[in-house]
Amino acid sequence: MTEAAAVDVAPYSTSRLAAISGYSAQQIRDLEHLGVIPPAIRQSNGYRRFTIAHVTALRAYRQLTIAVGAVAARATMRGIRRLPADEATAGIVALHVDLARSRADTIAALDALDRIVDETARDAPAAPGDTMSITELSAALGVRSSTIRFWEQQGLITPEREGRLAVRRYPPDAVRDSRIVAALRAGGYRIPAVHAVMTSLWALDDGTDARNALQERLQDIAVRSDALLRAGTDLSDLLRSPPVTARRQTGPAPQQESDQTRRGASGSVTS
């Protein structure tokens, strides 16, 4: 390979790639070590040289980190390089599905919160010790007692236990949760989705604070979804591009970088 061809294939030094990507030189070395980006091409003098594929990979990784976090982003980037194309593509599609599911769960939680507020406004305050038996609750909801016991087993509602026989009694909070579960199930939500909704509600205070928190969650999911879409074109390019393999180029080495330009975030000057 001629020197001109070598520069065309691998035009980026570590410092230049850092300037283009916004990562530090040391971060680029770390991401190469972790398999997030392809291995660098090594010049005859041992210095790293990077290609446009590395620029694309770093750009995709930045957006993926926003969308799904660093751990999942690293796994996805490694999968693109190491898995068959169909498996890697399926993994990327699964990220979109997970975000869509999170959005649906949050919207369902907002709907459930509206039900709570509406019921609180219409119902008289519960008296101390005001509870329902499982028979009374099943009749009020129009479901079988066995269904309510199943919801309890799934952690969706929590009854109180009375007496030596530990008979189930349902206080107002448990009745409220049961109504929400029944409404969600009638709306077609599966148990895992219902559990996600109930967990969201239990973790939040009632009223405005809960609604604001859920709205902020929706906004966060929107930002993450946008980042995942932005990463899509780069990920597609990486899937369709030939793999970059670590190799040493022969022929005259390009001008060496100074220690100052090659210095990474850690202060080291290793290439």
Short mmCIF file of all heavy atoms in Angstrom, two decimals, residues 94-153:
data_model
loop_
_atom_site.label_atom_id
_atom_site.label_comp_id
_atom_site.label_asym_id
_atom_site.label_seq_id
_atom_site.Cartn_x
_atom_site.Cartn_y
_atom_site.Cartn_z
N ALA A 94 -35.05 -4.27 19.36
CA ALA A 94 -35.50 -4.51 20.73
C ALA A 94 -35.35 -3.26 21.60
O ALA A 94 -36.16 -3.04 22.51
CB ALA A 94 -34.72 -5.67 21.34
N LEU A 95 -34.33 -2.45 21.33
CA LEU A 95 -34.17 -1.20 22.08
C LEU A 95 -35.34 -0.27 21.83
O LEU A 95 -35.86 0.38 22.76
CB LEU A 95 -32.86 -0.52 21.69
CG LEU A 95 -31.56 -1.29 21.94
CD1 LEU A 95 -30.37 -0.49 21.46
CD2 LEU A 95 -31.41 -1.64 23.42
N HIS A 96 -35.79 -0.18 20.57
CA HIS A 96 -36.97 0.64 20.25
C HIS A 96 -38.22 0.09 20.95
O HIS A 96 -39.03 0.87 21.47
CB HIS A 96 -37.20 0.65 18.74
CG HIS A 96 -36.21 1.49 17.98
ND1 HIS A 96 -36.34 2.85 17.85
CD2 HIS A 96 -35.07 1.15 17.31
CE1 HIS A 96 -35.33 3.33 17.13
NE2 HIS A 96 -34.56 2.32 16.78
N VAL A 97 -38.35 -1.23 20.96
CA VAL A 97 -39.51 -1.85 21.59
C VAL A 97 -39.53 -1.55 23.09
O VAL A 97 -40.58 -1.23 23.67
CB VAL A 97 -39.51 -3.37 21.35
CG1 VAL A 97 -40.59 -4.06 22.17
CG2 VAL A 97 -39.71 -3.67 19.86
N ASP A 98 -38.37 -1.62 23.73
CA ASP A 98 -38.29 -1.36 25.17
C ASP A 98 -38.69 0.08 25.49
O ASP A 98 -39.42 0.33 26.46
CB ASP A 98 -36.87 -1.63 25.68
CG ASP A 98 -36.54 -3.10 25.74
OD1 ASP A 98 -37.48 -3.93 25.70
OD2 ASP A 98 -35.34 -3.44 25.82
N LEU A 99 -38.24 1.02 24.68
CA LEU A 99 -38.62 2.41 24.92
C LEU A 99 -40.11 2.63 24.67
O LEU A 99 -40.77 3.36 25.42
CB LEU A 99 -37.80 3.34 24.02
CG LEU A 99 -36.37 3.64 24.48
CD1 LEU A 99 -35.63 4.48 23.44
CD2 LEU A 99 -36.37 4.37 25.82
N ALA A 100 -40.63 2.00 23.64
CA ALA A 100 -42.07 2.11 23.38
C ALA A 100 -42.88 1.53 24.52
O ALA A 100 -43.92 2.08 24.92
CB ALA A 100 -42.42 1.41 22.06
N ARG A 101 -42.40 0.40 25.07
CA ARG A 101 -43.10 -0.21 26.20
C ARG A 101 -43.04 0.70 27.43
O ARG A 101 -44.04 0.85 28.16
CB ARG A 101 -42.48 -1.57 26.52
CG ARG A 101 -43.20 -2.33 27.64
CD ARG A 101 -42.54 -3.65 27.93
NE ARG A 101 -42.59 -4.54 26.78
CZ ARG A 101 -41.52 -4.96 26.11
NH1 ARG A 101 -40.30 -4.55 26.47
NH2 ARG A 101 -41.65 -5.77 25.09
N SER A 102 -41.90 1.32 27.67
CA SER A 102 -41.78 2.24 28.80
C SER A 102 -42.75 3.41 28.66
O SER A 102 -43.36 3.86 29.63
CB SER A 102 -40.34 2.76 28.90
OG SER A 102 -39.44 1.72 29.21
N ARG A 103 -42.89 3.91 27.45
CA ARG A 103 -43.81 5.01 27.22
C ARG A 103 -45.25 4.57 27.46
O ARG A 103 -46.04 5.29 28.10
CB ARG A 103 -43.67 5.53 25.78
CG ARG A 103 -44.54 6.75 25.48
CD ARG A 103 -44.29 7.29 24.07
NE ARG A 103 -45.01 8.53 23.87
CZ ARG A 103 -46.29 8.62 23.53
NH1 ARG A 103 -46.99 7.50 23.33
NH2 ARG A 103 -46.88 9.79 23.37
N ALA A 104 -45.61 3.38 26.97
CA ALA A 104 -46.97 2.88 27.18
C ALA A 104 -47.26 2.68 28.66
O ALA A 104 -48.36 3.00 29.14
CB ALA A 104 -47.16 1.57 26.41
N ASP A 105 -46.29 2.15 29.40
CA ASP A 105 -46.48 1.94 30.84
C ASP A 105 -46.67 3.27 31.56
O ASP A 105 -47.49 3.38 32.48
CB ASP A 105 -45.26 1.21 31.43
CG ASP A 105 -45.16 -0.24 30.98
OD1 ASP A 105 -46.18 -0.76 30.46
OD2 ASP A 105 -44.10 -0.84 31.16
N THR A 106 -45.93 4.29 31.15
CA THR A 106 -46.03 5.58 31.81
C THR A 106 -47.38 6.24 31.50
O THR A 106 -48.01 6.83 32.39
CB THR A 106 -44.89 6.50 31.36
OG1 THR A 106 -43.64 5.85 31.62
CG2 THR A 106 -44.91 7.82 32.11
N ILE A 107 -47.83 6.12 30.26
CA ILE A 107 -49.15 6.65 29.92
C ILE A 107 -50.25 5.93 30.70
O ILE A 107 -51.21 6.54 31.18
CB ILE A 107 -49.40 6.54 28.40
CG1 ILE A 107 -48.47 7.50 27.66
CG2 ILE A 107 -50.85 6.83 28.05
CD1 ILE A 107 -48.53 7.37 26.15
N ALA A 108 -50.10 4.62 30.85
CA ALA A 108 -51.07 3.86 31.64
C ALA A 108 -51.05 4.30 33.10
O ALA A 108 -52.09 4.36 33.76
CB ALA A 108 -50.76 2.36 31.53
N ALA A 109 -49.85 4.60 33.61
CA ALA A 109 -49.75 5.08 34.99
C ALA A 109 -50.45 6.43 35.14
O ALA A 109 -51.11 6.69 36.16
CB ALA A 109 -48.29 5.19 35.40
N LEU A 110 -50.33 7.30 34.14
CA LEU A 110 -51.04 8.58 34.19
C LEU A 110 -52.54 8.36 34.18
O LEU A 110 -53.29 9.04 34.91
CB LEU A 110 -50.63 9.43 32.98
CG LEU A 110 -49.33 10.22 33.11
CD1 LEU A 110 -48.90 10.75 31.75
CD2 LEU A 110 -49.49 11.35 34.11
N ASP A 111 -53.00 7.43 33.37
CA ASP A 111 -54.43 7.12 33.33
C ASP A 111 -54.90 6.58 34.67
O ASP A 111 -55.97 6.95 35.17
CB ASP A 111 -54.71 6.10 32.22
CG ASP A 111 -56.18 5.75 32.12
OD1 ASP A 111 -56.98 6.63 31.75
OD2 ASP A 111 -56.53 4.59 32.44
N ALA A 112 -54.08 5.70 35.26
CA ALA A 112 -54.44 5.15 36.57
C ALA A 112 -54.47 6.24 37.63
O ALA A 112 -55.34 6.24 38.52
CB ALA A 112 -53.45 4.06 36.96
N LEU A 113 -53.55 7.18 37.55
CA LEU A 113 -53.54 8.28 38.51
C LEU A 113 -54.80 9.12 38.39
O LEU A 113 -55.38 9.54 39.38
CB LEU A 113 -52.29 9.14 38.28
CG LEU A 113 -52.11 10.33 39.22
CD1 LEU A 113 -51.96 9.85 40.66
CD2 LEU A 113 -50.90 11.15 38.81
N ASP A 114 -55.26 9.34 37.16
CA ASP A 114 -56.51 10.08 36.96
C ASP A 114 -57.68 9.34 37.62
O ASP A 114 -58.59 9.97 38.17
CB ASP A 114 -56.78 10.25 35.47
CG ASP A 114 -55.85 11.26 34.82
OD1 ASP A 114 -55.27 12.08 35.55
OD2 ASP A 114 -55.69 11.21 33.58
N ARG A 115 -57.66 8.03 37.55
CA ARG A 115 -58.72 7.24 38.18
C ARG A 115 -58.70 7.44 39.69
O ARG A 115 -59.75 7.55 40.33
CB ARG A 115 -58.56 5.76 37.83
CG ARG A 115 -58.79 5.44 36.36
CD ARG A 115 -58.48 3.98 36.08
NE ARG A 115 -58.56 3.68 34.66
CZ ARG A 115 -59.68 3.35 34.03
NH1 ARG A 115 -60.82 3.27 34.70
NH2 ARG A 115 -59.66 3.10 32.73
N ILE A 116 -57.49 7.46 40.26
CA ILE A 116 -57.38 7.65 41.71
C ILE A 116 -57.94 9.01 42.11
O ILE A 116 -58.71 9.13 43.07
CB ILE A 116 -55.91 7.53 42.15
CG1 ILE A 116 -55.41 6.10 41.95
CG2 ILE A 116 -55.73 7.95 43.60
CD1 ILE A 116 -53.93 5.93 42.21
N VAL A 117 -57.53 10.05 41.39
CA VAL A 117 -58.00 11.40 41.71
C VAL A 117 -59.51 11.50 41.57
O VAL A 117 -60.19 12.10 42.42
CB VAL A 117 -57.29 12.43 40.80
CG1 VAL A 117 -57.90 13.82 41.00
CG2 VAL A 117 -55.80 12.45 41.08
N ASP A 118 -60.04 10.89 40.52
CA ASP A 118 -61.48 10.93 40.30
C ASP A 118 -62.23 10.20 41.41
O ASP A 118 -63.24 10.69 41.93
CB ASP A 118 -61.81 10.30 38.95
CG ASP A 118 -63.29 10.38 38.63
OD1 ASP A 118 -63.82 11.50 38.55
OD2 ASP A 118 -63.91 9.31 38.48
N GLU A 119 -61.73 9.04 41.81
CA GLU A 119 -62.39 8.28 42.87
C GLU A 119 -62.31 9.02 44.20
O GLU A 119 -63.26 9.03 44.98
CB GLU A 119 -61.76 6.90 43.00
CG GLU A 119 -62.09 5.97 41.85
CD GLU A 119 -61.50 4.59 42.06
OE1 GLU A 119 -60.79 4.39 43.09
OE2 GLU A 119 -61.72 3.71 41.21
N THR A 120 -61.16 9.65 44.47
CA THR A 120 -61.01 10.38 45.72
C THR A 120 -61.99 11.54 45.80
O THR A 120 -62.54 11.85 46.85
CB THR A 120 -59.56 10.90 45.84
OG1 THR A 120 -58.66 9.80 45.80
CG2 THR A 120 -59.36 11.66 47.15
N ALA A 121 -62.24 12.19 44.65
CA ALA A 121 -63.16 13.33 44.63
C ALA A 121 -64.60 12.89 44.82
O ALA A 121 -65.41 13.63 45.41
CB ALA A 121 -63.01 14.09 43.31
N ARG A 122 -64.95 11.70 44.36
CA ARG A 122 -66.35 11.26 44.40
C ARG A 122 -66.70 10.47 45.64
O ARG A 122 -67.84 10.50 46.10
CB ARG A 122 -66.65 10.41 43.17
CG ARG A 122 -66.70 11.20 41.87
CD ARG A 122 -67.18 10.36 40.70
NE ARG A 122 -66.21 9.34 40.30
CZ ARG A 122 -66.31 8.05 40.58
NH1 ARG A 122 -67.36 7.61 41.29
NH2 ARG A 122 -65.41 7.19 40.18
N ASP A 123 -65.73 9.73 46.20
CA ASP A 123 -66.03 8.83 47.31
C ASP A 123 -65.95 9.56 48.65
O ASP A 123 -65.15 10.49 48.83
CB ASP A 123 -65.05 7.65 47.33
CG ASP A 123 -65.23 6.76 46.11
OD1 ASP A 123 -66.25 6.92 45.41
OD2 ASP A 123 -64.35 5.93 45.85
N ALA A 124 -66.76 9.12 49.58
CA ALA A 124 -66.68 9.64 50.94
C ALA A 124 -65.42 9.11 51.61
O ALA A 124 -64.96 8.02 51.30
CB ALA A 124 -67.92 9.19 51.74
N PRO A 125 -64.86 9.89 52.53
CA PRO A 125 -63.65 9.42 53.21
C PRO A 125 -63.91 8.10 53.93
O PRO A 125 -64.97 7.88 54.52
CB PRO A 125 -63.35 10.55 54.21
CG PRO A 125 -64.04 11.75 53.65
CD PRO A 125 -65.27 11.22 52.96
N ALA A 126 -62.92 7.22 53.87
CA ALA A 126 -63.07 5.92 54.52
C ALA A 126 -62.98 6.07 56.03
O ALA A 126 -62.18 6.85 56.55
CB ALA A 126 -61.98 4.97 54.04
N ALA A 127 -63.84 5.34 56.71
CA ALA A 127 -63.81 5.34 58.17
C ALA A 127 -62.70 4.41 58.65
O ALA A 127 -62.33 3.46 57.96
CB ALA A 127 -65.16 4.88 58.72
N PRO A 128 -62.14 4.67 59.85
CA PRO A 128 -61.11 3.78 60.38
C PRO A 128 -61.63 2.35 60.47
O PRO A 128 -62.74 2.10 60.93
CB PRO A 128 -60.83 4.36 61.77
CG PRO A 128 -61.22 5.81 61.65
CD PRO A 128 -62.39 5.83 60.73
N GLY A 129 -60.84 1.42 60.01
CA GLY A 129 -61.24 0.02 60.06
C GLY A 129 -62.20 -0.39 58.97
O GLY A 129 -62.70 -1.52 58.96
N ASP A 130 -62.48 0.53 58.03
CA ASP A 130 -63.40 0.23 56.93
C ASP A 130 -62.69 -0.66 55.92
O ASP A 130 -61.80 -0.21 55.19
CB ASP A 130 -63.87 1.53 56.29
CG ASP A 130 -64.98 1.30 55.27
OD1 ASP A 130 -65.45 0.14 55.17
OD2 ASP A 130 -65.34 2.26 54.58
N THR A 131 -63.06 -1.92 55.87
CA THR A 131 -62.42 -2.87 54.96
C THR A 131 -63.49 -3.69 54.24
O THR A 131 -64.66 -3.66 54.59
CB THR A 131 -61.49 -3.83 55.71
OG1 THR A 131 -62.27 -4.61 56.64
CG2 THR A 131 -60.40 -3.08 56.46
N MET A 132 -63.04 -4.42 53.22
CA MET A 132 -63.92 -5.31 52.48
C MET A 132 -63.35 -6.71 52.54
O MET A 132 -62.12 -6.91 52.59
CB MET A 132 -64.03 -4.87 51.01
CG MET A 132 -64.64 -3.48 50.82
SD MET A 132 -64.71 -2.99 49.06
CE MET A 132 -65.99 -4.09 48.47
N SER A 133 -64.26 -7.70 52.54
CA SER A 133 -63.82 -9.08 52.44
C SER A 133 -63.50 -9.38 50.97
O SER A 133 -63.87 -8.61 50.07
CB SER A 133 -64.91 -10.03 52.93
OG SER A 133 -66.03 -9.99 52.05
N ILE A 134 -62.88 -10.52 50.73
CA ILE A 134 -62.56 -10.87 49.35
C ILE A 134 -63.84 -11.12 48.55
O ILE A 134 -63.90 -10.81 47.36
CB ILE A 134 -61.61 -12.09 49.30
CG1 ILE A 134 -61.07 -12.28 47.87
CG2 ILE A 134 -62.32 -13.35 49.80
CD1 ILE A 134 -59.96 -13.30 47.77
N THR A 135 -64.88 -11.62 49.22
CA THR A 135 -66.15 -11.85 48.54
C THR A 135 -66.79 -10.53 48.14
O THR A 135 -67.30 -10.37 47.02
CB THR A 135 -67.11 -12.64 49.44
OG1 THR A 135 -66.52 -13.89 49.80
CG2 THR A 135 -68.43 -12.90 48.73
N GLU A 136 -66.76 -9.56 49.07
CA GLU A 136 -67.33 -8.24 48.78
C GLU A 136 -66.55 -7.54 47.67
O GLU A 136 -67.14 -6.92 46.77
CB GLU A 136 -67.33 -7.38 50.04
CG GLU A 136 -68.28 -7.88 51.13
CD GLU A 136 -68.07 -7.18 52.45
OE1 GLU A 136 -66.94 -6.68 52.70
OE2 GLU A 136 -69.04 -7.14 53.25
N LEU A 137 -65.23 -7.66 47.72
CA LEU A 137 -64.41 -6.99 46.72
C LEU A 137 -64.61 -7.62 45.34
O LEU A 137 -64.72 -6.91 44.33
CB LEU A 137 -62.94 -7.06 47.12
CG LEU A 137 -61.95 -6.35 46.18
CD1 LEU A 137 -62.29 -4.88 46.02
CD2 LEU A 137 -60.52 -6.52 46.69
N SER A 138 -64.69 -8.93 45.29
CA SER A 138 -64.87 -9.60 44.00
C SER A 138 -66.23 -9.23 43.40
O SER A 138 -66.34 -9.03 42.18
CB SER A 138 -64.76 -11.12 44.15
OG SER A 138 -65.79 -11.63 44.98
N ALA A 139 -67.25 -9.11 44.25
CA ALA A 139 -68.57 -8.70 43.75
C ALA A 139 -68.55 -7.27 43.24
O ALA A 139 -69.15 -6.95 42.21
CB ALA A 139 -69.61 -8.87 44.85
N ALA A 140 -67.83 -6.38 43.96
CA ALA A 140 -67.77 -4.97 43.55
C ALA A 140 -67.03 -4.81 42.23
O ALA A 140 -67.38 -3.95 41.41
CB ALA A 140 -67.08 -4.16 44.65
N LEU A 141 -66.01 -5.64 42.02
CA LEU A 141 -65.22 -5.52 40.80
C LEU A 141 -65.78 -6.35 39.65
O LEU A 141 -65.41 -6.13 38.49
CB LEU A 141 -63.77 -5.96 41.07
CG LEU A 141 -62.99 -5.13 42.10
CD1 LEU A 141 -61.61 -5.75 42.31
CD2 LEU A 141 -62.86 -3.69 41.66
N GLY A 142 -66.61 -7.33 39.97
CA GLY A 142 -67.14 -8.21 38.93
C GLY A 142 -66.13 -9.24 38.47
O GLY A 142 -66.15 -9.64 37.29
N VAL A 143 -65.26 -9.67 39.38
CA VAL A 143 -64.26 -10.70 39.04
C VAL A 143 -64.36 -11.82 40.06
O VAL A 143 -64.98 -11.68 41.12
CB VAL A 143 -62.84 -10.12 39.01
CG1 VAL A 143 -62.71 -9.01 37.98
CG2 VAL A 143 -62.42 -9.62 40.40
N ARG A 144 -63.74 -12.95 39.77
CA ARG A 144 -63.73 -14.08 40.70
C ARG A 144 -62.79 -13.81 41.88
O ARG A 144 -61.81 -13.08 41.74
CB ARG A 144 -63.29 -15.35 39.99
CG ARG A 144 -64.21 -15.81 38.87
CD ARG A 144 -63.60 -17.02 38.17
NE ARG A 144 -64.44 -17.50 37.09
CZ ARG A 144 -65.42 -18.40 37.24
NH1 ARG A 144 -65.64 -18.93 38.44
NH2 ARG A 144 -66.15 -18.79 36.21
N SER A 145 -63.07 -14.43 43.00
CA SER A 145 -62.17 -14.35 44.15
C SER A 145 -60.80 -14.91 43.81
O SER A 145 -59.77 -14.41 44.28
CB SER A 145 -62.77 -15.10 45.35
OG SER A 145 -63.98 -14.51 45.76
N SER A 146 -60.77 -15.95 43.00
CA SER A 146 -59.49 -16.54 42.60
C SER A 146 -58.64 -15.54 41.81
O SER A 146 -57.41 -15.56 41.88
CB SER A 146 -59.72 -17.81 41.77
OG SER A 146 -60.50 -17.51 40.61
N THR A 147 -59.32 -14.66 41.06
CA THR A 147 -58.59 -13.63 40.30
C THR A 147 -57.92 -12.65 41.25
O THR A 147 -56.76 -12.26 41.05
CB THR A 147 -59.55 -12.88 39.37
OG1 THR A 147 -60.12 -13.80 38.43
CG2 THR A 147 -58.84 -11.76 38.63
N ILE A 148 -58.63 -12.27 42.31
CA ILE A 148 -58.05 -11.34 43.28
C ILE A 148 -56.88 -12.00 44.00
O ILE A 148 -55.84 -11.37 44.24
CB ILE A 148 -59.13 -10.89 44.29
CG1 ILE A 148 -60.21 -10.08 43.56
CG2 ILE A 148 -58.51 -10.06 45.41
CD1 ILE A 148 -61.36 -9.67 44.43
N ARG A 149 -57.00 -13.28 44.32
CA ARG A 149 -55.88 -13.98 44.96
C ARG A 149 -54.68 -14.06 44.02
O ARG A 149 -53.52 -13.95 44.45
CB ARG A 149 -56.32 -15.38 45.40
CG ARG A 149 -57.23 -15.39 46.63
CD ARG A 149 -57.38 -16.79 47.20
NE ARG A 149 -58.17 -17.65 46.31
CZ ARG A 149 -59.50 -17.80 46.40
NH1 ARG A 149 -60.17 -17.14 47.34
NH2 ARG A 149 -60.14 -18.59 45.57
N PHE A 150 -54.95 -14.23 42.73
CA PHE A 150 -53.86 -14.25 41.75
C PHE A 150 -53.17 -12.89 41.70
O PHE A 150 -51.93 -12.82 41.63
CB PHE A 150 -54.41 -14.63 40.38
CG PHE A 150 -53.40 -14.56 39.28
CD1 PHE A 150 -52.36 -15.48 39.20
CD2 PHE A 150 -53.47 -13.55 38.32
CE1 PHE A 150 -51.41 -15.41 38.17
CE2 PHE A 150 -52.53 -13.48 37.29
CZ PHE A 150 -51.50 -14.40 37.23
N TRP A 151 -53.93 -11.81 41.72
CA TRP A 151 -53.33 -10.48 41.73
C TRP A 151 -52.44 -10.31 42.97
O TRP A 151 -51.37 -9.71 42.89
CB TRP A 151 -54.41 -9.41 41.72
CG TRP A 151 -55.21 -9.35 40.44
CD1 TRP A 151 -54.90 -9.96 39.25
CD2 TRP A 151 -56.42 -8.66 40.24
NE1 TRP A 151 -55.85 -9.68 38.32
CE2 TRP A 151 -56.82 -8.88 38.88
CE3 TRP A 151 -57.25 -7.88 41.05
CZ2 TRP A 151 -57.98 -8.34 38.35
CZ3 TRP A 151 -58.41 -7.33 40.52
CH2 TRP A 151 -58.77 -7.56 39.17
N GLU A 152 -52.91 -10.84 44.08
CA GLU A 152 -52.09 -10.78 45.30
C GLU A 152 -50.78 -11.55 45.12
O GLU A 152 -49.70 -11.08 45.49
CB GLU A 152 -52.88 -11.34 46.48
CG GLU A 152 -52.09 -11.36 47.78
CD GLU A 152 -52.83 -12.07 48.90
OE1 GLU A 152 -54.03 -12.34 48.75
OE2 GLU A 152 -52.18 -12.37 49.92
N GLN A 153 -50.87 -12.73 44.52
CA GLN A 153 -49.66 -13.53 44.28
C GLN A 153 -48.67 -12.81 43.36
O GLN A 153 -47.46 -12.98 43.50
CB GLN A 153 -50.05 -14.88 43.67
CG GLN A 153 -50.82 -15.79 44.60
CD GLN A 153 -51.40 -17.01 43.89
OE1 GLN A 153 -51.22 -17.17 42.67
NE2 GLN A 153 -52.09 -17.86 44.62
#
